[in-house]
Amino acid sequence: MVVLVSPEPEGAGRLRVLDAGSSERISDHTTADLAGWIASYEAEHQPRWVFPATDELYPALLDAGVRVARCHDLTLTEGILLAHDGRHGTPRNPLAAWARLHRAPEPPDRPPPARDAQPALFETDQRLVLLDQAEEVYRDQLQRIDAIDRMRLLVAAESAGALAAAEMTYHGLPWNEEVHRALLVDMLGPKPAPGARPAKLAELADRIIAAFGGYALNPDSPPSVVRAFARQGIEIPSTRAWVLREVDHPAVEPLLEYKELARMWTAHGWTWIDSWVHGGRFRPEYVVGGVVSGRWATRGGAALQLPKALRTAVRALPGWSLVVADAAQLEPRILAALSEDRRLAEVSADIDLYASLAADSFDGDRGRAKIAMLSAMYGGTSGGAGPLLAVLRKRFPQAVGHVEQAAAAGEQGLMVRSVLGRTSPRPSERRLELMGATEESSLQKSRQASREWGRFTRNFVVQASAADWALVLLVTLRRRLAETAPKAEIVFYQHDEIMVHTPADQAETVTAELLAATEETTHLVFPGTPVKFPLDLSTVDRYSDAK
């Protein structure tokens, strides 16, 4: 069964049931209790729900105690299909999709609602998409999906990812607030008064000023620091850490320490705790496909940039455990599978791919092997990378040729795609004009602009394909855990890392399901590949104790 959902204010809604095979209409329903209707129908039929926008509807269902297994997200699907056609940035909401079918004005996508906003239950941002409109958009999307190789898997994973994202926010990452506050006091001193610096930062600021001979400056202001160095006869382009480390001056050491601690204070300090940690859980808002490569982003909370120092605050509840899985050196393995380079596939058999690559091609020098591989994927040529890349090109011509072909496409302004069909954006009109310049005075800038876009597309095919694989792993694990460890909660997902909070007696089951999900995912995304995708697995009480 397929069920189209049209939410209405005050928890009401309309629904239309379609036959999954023929798509023929079976029945229409009107209800004052949409959550209750969905719960009952889910328990009996487990249909594929067609939601206008999962991130707007599903959180309210979860709050009502309703979990669904499958859905088709009209908004996310439209975004993927538009991107495939080279129309990144075109409104993707269902009413805009319907308007395009009728050559009518397209309503723009609205910004996400404020985090603390309290809209009426199920009042979506998509202006109450009617059933007839939703059905027409859904049928059109199915036709477009079926015309594109492998697109069905991508949109199914993206929609299931939206369910997982809402569930992760609902569960929250277990967070020990007392540990976090004690860590802040240890690093920064007692919580300061509003408008004041913590004691440690104030001390470092005094040391920085003293190192500049008492010259007044604001260490939080890069221009102020740059001017202070200039007064000492030292010209620096910025206050980035790697720039400062090249400078021989007594202010450098306290400046570097100040920058690190100030970042902790502003990004994850006392205000962060008050804003984001409630009831022992950190509940970030995940944005599915928030990056063009398919990687996720977050709205506030900086969940994907948690400092290592804070991992000790992520702690399982008593009687529970954290199972942490990290895909080892994912992107080089993705390149091996993408390019079907048999030699690189053999090298990837070991869990430490770089060590294996070093033994094969770089006289055992792991550092040189890593530089060579990263240069192939990211297009780097500085710092002696050129000769190392030449070795890699000779030993693994199929793999290096794959990314170089993607780079060449980008330099011509063409789009490239991931293994499942996620599509890179075209260069902006301004960049295209610069890339195509033929005047002698503009040739150097033209070549530079082309090379820069080529580096983007070179990495896109690998990074986006890695995002495809990781997303399929996440949603495959979600499905498997619902069957074998229903109390387990997926609570964190970052590029190539997944964390599950589970009753301790189910940790072995979760670990086994992670391994099985990895095998299933690899078969789905790269059928027949010999490339292995090992996981670093840890069962711990604290995130900081994971491998």
Side-chain angles (χ1 to χ4, degrees):
M1 297 291 183
V2 173
V3 183
L4 303 168
V5 181
S6 176
E8 296 182 345
E10 307 299 330
R14 298 177 185 273
L15 306 105
R16 175 169 293 162
V17 182
L18 308 178
D19 181 81
S22 66
S23 293
E24 292 183 2
R25 293 184 189 177
I26 296 176
S27 58
D28 281 2
H29 304 267
T30 300
T31 176
D33 179 13
L34 182 59
W37 198 99
I38 289 177
S40 176
Y41 206 82
E42 171 74 14
E44 186 173 354
H45 299 286
Q46 280 208 339
R48 184 178 302 279
W49 301 94
V50 178
F51 293 154
T54 304
D55 63 343
E56 297 171 6
L57 172 59
Y58 196 40
L61 292 178
L62 290 170
D63 287 341
V66 181
R67 182 188 186 278
V68 304
R70 302 183 300 164
C71 82
H72 176 101
D73 187 304
L74 293 175
T75 298
L76 291 176
T77 299
E78 190 69 15
I80 289 173
L81 292 170
L82 287 168
H84 191 275
D85 293 339
R87 294 189 284 172
H88 292 79
T90 302
R92 59 180 189 161
N93 66 81
L95 285 183
W98 181 84
R100 279 190 289 272
L101 294 175
H102 295 269
R103 302 182 183 276
E106 302 172 18
D109 294 332
R110 292 182 181 177
R115 179 170 179 261
D116 295 329
Q118 296 294 329
L121 191 62
F122 300 133
E123 185 170 8
T124 76
D125 183 50
Q126 307 305 341
R127 299 111 166 166
L128 301 180
V129 181
L130 303 179
L131 282 178
D132 287 344
Q133 294 171 321
E135 182 178 354
E136 194 170 350
V137 170
Y138 176 63
R139 291 181 184 277
D140 174 68
Q141 288 184 352
L142 290 184
Q143 290 181 353
R144 293 153 68 195
I145 290 167
D146 287 342
I148 304 171
D149 185 40
R150 312 209 71 190
M151 184 56 67
R152 184 173 290 275
L153 176 57
L154 178 60
V155 298
E158 192 90 335
S159 296
L163 295 174
E167 290 165 3
M168 288 162 58
T169 299
Y170 176 78
H171 294 309
L173 188 62
W175 199 274
N176 190 307
E177 187 177 330
E178 290 184 7
V179 170
H180 188 169
R181 291 185 184 277
L183 182 66
L184 291 176
V185 171
D186 184 58
M187 296 175 70
L188 299 167
K191 181 179 179 180
R197 289 190 178 103
K200 181 63 175 178
L201 288 181
E203 175 193 334
L204 287 168
D206 290 342
R207 286 178 56 194
I208 293 165
I209 291 172
F212 283 112
Y215 173 73
L217 78 153
N218 178 5
D220 295 309
S221 168
S224 180
V225 175
V226 169
R227 286 194 297 270
F229 275 112
R231 285 174 59 91
Q232 305 274 310
I234 300 172
E235 299 294 334
I236 57 174
S238 71
T239 59
R240 294 182 182 276
W242 66 270
V243 172
L244 292 177
R245 290 191 186 100
E246 299 297 318
V247 176
D248 183 13
H249 190 278
V252 169
E253 184 216 339
L255 258 174
L256 290 173
E257 187 177 358
Y258 184 96
K259 287 169 66 70
E260 183 177 349
L261 293 180
R263 189 179 302 114
M264 175 68 75
W265 175 44
T266 56
H268 295 96
W270 290 274
T271 300
W272 184 92
I273 297 174
D274 294 338
S275 299
W276 290 98
V277 180
H278 304 286
R281 300 286 180 127
F282 166 38
R283 292 182 169 84
E285 299 174 17
Y286 294 95
V287 182
V288 177
V291 182
V292 293
S293 66
R295 284 184 169 185
W296 289 13
T298 58
R299 281 191 287 266
L304 304 185
Q305 293 87 36
L306 291 180
K308 287 187 177 181
L310 279 185
R311 292 186 175 187
T312 187
V314 181
R315 302 196 175 193
L317 296 178
W320 289 59
S321 296
L322 299 172
V323 179
V324 183
D326 186 357
Q329 298 149 356
L330 179 59
E331 290 191 1
R333 299 177 199 278
I334 290 291
L335 176 56
L338 264 180
S339 62
E340 299 182 348
D341 191 307
R342 308 291 292 191
R343 281 186 51 78
L344 188 55
E346 293 172 4
V347 167
S348 71
D350 291 344
I351 190 167
D352 189 345
L353 181 147
Y354 292 129
S356 181
L357 179 61
D360 179 273
S361 307
F362 295 94
D363 299 321
D365 190 328
R366 188 181 185 279
R368 292 169 65 219
K370 185 174 182 179
I371 291 173
M373 180 57 71
L374 294 180
S375 298
M377 294 188 297
Y378 295 99
T381 56
S382 60
L388 299 179
L389 181 55
V391 172
L392 205 67
R393 186 182 292 111
K394 183 177 180 180
R395 297 288 282 177
F396 309 99
Q398 204 163 329
V400 177
H402 189 88
V403 288
E404 290 186 340
Q405 184 179 5
E411 290 176 8
Q412 297 173 51
L414 303 176
M415 300 183 299
V416 295
R417 308 191 198 281
S418 72
V419 63
L420 296 184
R422 198 181 297 270
T423 306
S424 69
R426 289 193 175 102
S428 66
E429 290 298 324
R430 182 177 179 182
R431 181 180 285 272
L432 277 174
E433 183 178 346
L434 180 58
M435 290 166 62
T438 57
E439 298 85 356
E440 187 68 29
S441 60
S442 301
L443 281 179
Q444 183 175 351
K445 290 184 177 179
S446 175
R447 295 191 187 102
Q448 180 180 351
S450 296
R451 286 195 297 269
E452 287 174 354
W453 199 256
R455 282 195 291 272
F456 166 70
T457 53
R458 172 192 290 266
N459 182 238
F460 182 92
V461 294
V462 178
Q463 189 178 101
S465 297
D468 289 350
W469 185 91
L471 177 61
V472 174
L473 174 62
L474 172 71
V475 301
T476 300
L477 177 66
R478 173 183 179 270
R479 171 180 54 78
R480 299 182 71 99
L481 290 181
E483 299 169 356
T484 61
K487 291 184 179 180
E489 307 164 346
I490 299 176
V491 293
F492 189 64
Y493 169 63
Q494 176 181 262
H495 309 330
D496 52 7
E497 185 175 7
I498 296 174
M499 185 188 305
V500 182
H501 187 227
T502 179
D505 61 1
Q506 294 184 8
E508 289 187 6
T509 299
V510 171
T511 298
E513 292 297 358
L514 271 160
L515 294 172
T518 300
E519 292 293 326
E520 184 177 346
T521 295
T522 302
H523 174 72
L524 287 170
V525 179
F526 296 109
T529 185
V531 177
K532 303 299 181 185
F533 291 88
L535 296 180
D536 286 330
L537 287 163
S538 303
T539 299
V540 295
D541 294 325
R542 303 181 300 181
Y543 185 22
S544 56
D545 292 336
K547 293 180 182 177

